Amino acid sequence: MMAANGKKVWMDGRLVDFADARVHVLGHTLHYGVGVFEGIRAYPTSQGGAVFRLKEHIERLFTSAKFYHMPIPYSPTEVEQAVVDVTAANDVLPAYIRPLVYRGEPALGVKNLKGKVSLAIAAIPAKKYLGEASDSGVRAKISPFRKPHSDSLPSFAKASGNYLSSYLAGADATHDGYDEAILLDSNGYLSEGTGENIFLVRKGKLYTPGLESDILLGITRDTVLQIATDLGYPVVEKLVSVNELMSADEAFFTGTYAEIAPIKEVGHYTIGTETPGPITQNVMRVFHRALTGAEPKYSQWLTPVPRLARPTARVRS
Ligand SMILES: Cc1ncc(COP(=O)(O)O)c(C=O)c1O
């Protein structure tokens, strides 16, 4: 869990004080989960603060909002600028940035298609989603809760209501003493973690489930696919069985919040012989170089935050 605090929240075009960033208790999104959101990070780089893969996150936000009939009353460029502005206003790095598209005005009844669509964007100090386990290796459990089929809840949209299964799976894993849950799709193949995609490594190749396993098409997943390919590792998107994971040489989660987190154990099975394994380590090394601006090849993934342009920006966590 990440305790949320900050100075300012961008709400429908205004930067309001953190304590005043409120919505009505009868707001539609609060009752029915009809909201869409993003999780984005900004990092200190050698050139100052920069948001990682901002364009792709905002593109996904618009795709999710369109699917849920929530027209965002701003252009993608305006939303990108708002992300930069709120990050600068909070003067925090590394930052976790959370845009949320919601209906916040008092209105009951599920079919609220006409209610005002609002956008709020918070930027708070970033922590590690999986805590210490991000470094030492995650102990994960195959969850008894499965990912809802995309015929019911399309997984490409990052919608608030999609997270009910993640919540149940996460609660179950926590109660059983694990760091994280792995949800299967409705056919019993691997889908993803509660807030991450999953990769495994076998005989020098990377494998990861695709959209047919009802995953969110993660932007970190895409980053890893590009980095791994550039490093010369073959990458295969396919249906992945639990047995393939149990017998993998290496495995790891990817996500904006979790970054790249090596998986040490799944249930009673130890994955590979070292955590992180050598290929995971290689990918992690280039990933960290990319997000700190040390890899010119990937500099297009970074959007500068001009007011956080000092070379060694302050890190508060
Ligand atoms: C369910 C789920 N899967 C995967 C991911 C990873 O996506 P990304 O790398 O875009 O953060 C997330 C995080 O947003 C998520 O919530």
Side-chain angles (χ1 to χ4, degrees):
M1 201 195 72
M2 191 187 283
N5 59 63
K7 291 180 185 168
K8 297 281 182 188
V9 177
W10 190 101
M11 290 185 88
D12 288 332
R14 290 188 313 125
L15 282 169
V16 302
D17 286 343
F18 192 83
D20 297 330
R22 298 175 189 282
V23 290
H24 199 278
V25 73
L26 290 185
H28 187 255
T29 301
L30 187 59
H31 290 255
Y32 304 109
V34 186
V36 300
F37 66 100
E38 274 304 315
I40 310 172
R41 271 185 189 256
Y43 291 94
T45 77
S46 52
Q47 307 297 309
V51 184
F52 191 64
R53 304 208 68 178
L54 177 59
K55 270 200 183 330
E56 292 84 349
H57 280 286
I58 300 309
E59 198 177 301
R60 188 170 66 185
L61 184 72
F62 273 79
T63 304
S64 305
K66 180 164 184 273
F67 189 78
Y68 278 95
H69 315 286
M70 301 179 88
I72 298 176
Y74 308 97
S75 69
T77 312
E78 286 169 330
V79 178
E80 285 169 25
Q81 187 59 47
V83 167
V84 168
D85 291 347
V86 74
T87 306
N90 282 281
D91 191 19
V92 62
L93 287 174
Y96 183 73
I97 303 156
R98 170 57 63 87
L100 171 69
V101 178
Y102 64 101
R103 288 197 175 95
E105 295 194 328
L108 289 184
V110 177
K111 291 179 287 176
N112 176 7
L113 294 174
K114 299 232 168 88
K116 180 185 169 199
V117 175
S118 288
L119 172 66
I121 312 173
I124 63 172
K127 300 258 168 68
K128 291 184 176 209
Y129 182 46
L130 295 165
E132 289 296 301
S134 305
D135 301 320
S136 56
V138 178
R139 295 182 55 252
K141 174 189 173 178
I142 301 291
S143 181
F145 295 98
R146 295 202 172 180
K147 277 284 296 195
H149 194 282
S150 285
D151 283 351
S152 305
L153 290 174
S155 64
F156 71 82
K158 193 168 165 66
S160 304
N162 282 10
Y163 284 82
L164 289 174
S165 58
S166 286
Y167 173 80
L168 290 172
D172 173 74
T174 303
H175 283 133
D176 281 357
Y178 290 91
D179 304 310
E180 184 54 309
I182 296 168
L183 289 89
L184 305 183
D185 67 18
S186 38
N187 293 315
Y189 292 101
L190 299 191
S191 180
E192 58 186 355
T194 62
E196 317 90 357
N197 294 113
I198 189 164
F199 282 77
L200 57 89
V201 179
R202 175 193 286 274
K203 294 193 192 318
K205 277 191 194 169
L206 278 79
Y207 298 89
T208 192
L211 204 51
E212 67 277 18
S213 288
D214 301 317
I215 62 163
L216 180 73
L217 284 173
I219 290 161
T220 320
R221 174 183 181 276
D222 179 72
T223 303
V224 165
L225 288 173
Q226 293 198 41
I227 289 175
T229 305
D230 291 349
L231 284 171
Y233 299 120
V235 188
V236 185
E237 295 178 67
K238 70 180 223 27
L239 295 172
V240 183
S241 71
V242 175
N243 289 346
E244 284 173 275
L245 173 63
M246 304 294 202
S247 57
D249 301 328
E250 306 175 30
F252 57 89
F253 286 121
T254 63
T256 300
Y257 202 163
E259 300 180 306
I260 298 178
I263 301 173
K264 184 167 67 176
E265 290 167 23
V266 177
H268 299 296
Y269 287 80
T270 302
I271 305 298
T273 50
E274 56 172 320
T275 312
I279 292 180
T280 309
Q281 269 185 51
N282 249 345
V283 174
M284 285 171 90
R285 181 179 48 80
V286 178
F287 177 69
H288 283 108
R289 284 178 60 77
L291 51 85
T292 50
E295 199 68 63
K297 188 190 211 168
Y298 303 122
S299 60
Q300 81 282 4
W301 286 341
L302 295 166
T303 301
V305 182
R307 271 184 287 152
L308 292 181
R310 56 190 177 279
T312 45
R314 199 177 330 157
V315 177
R316 290 193 208 133
S317 55

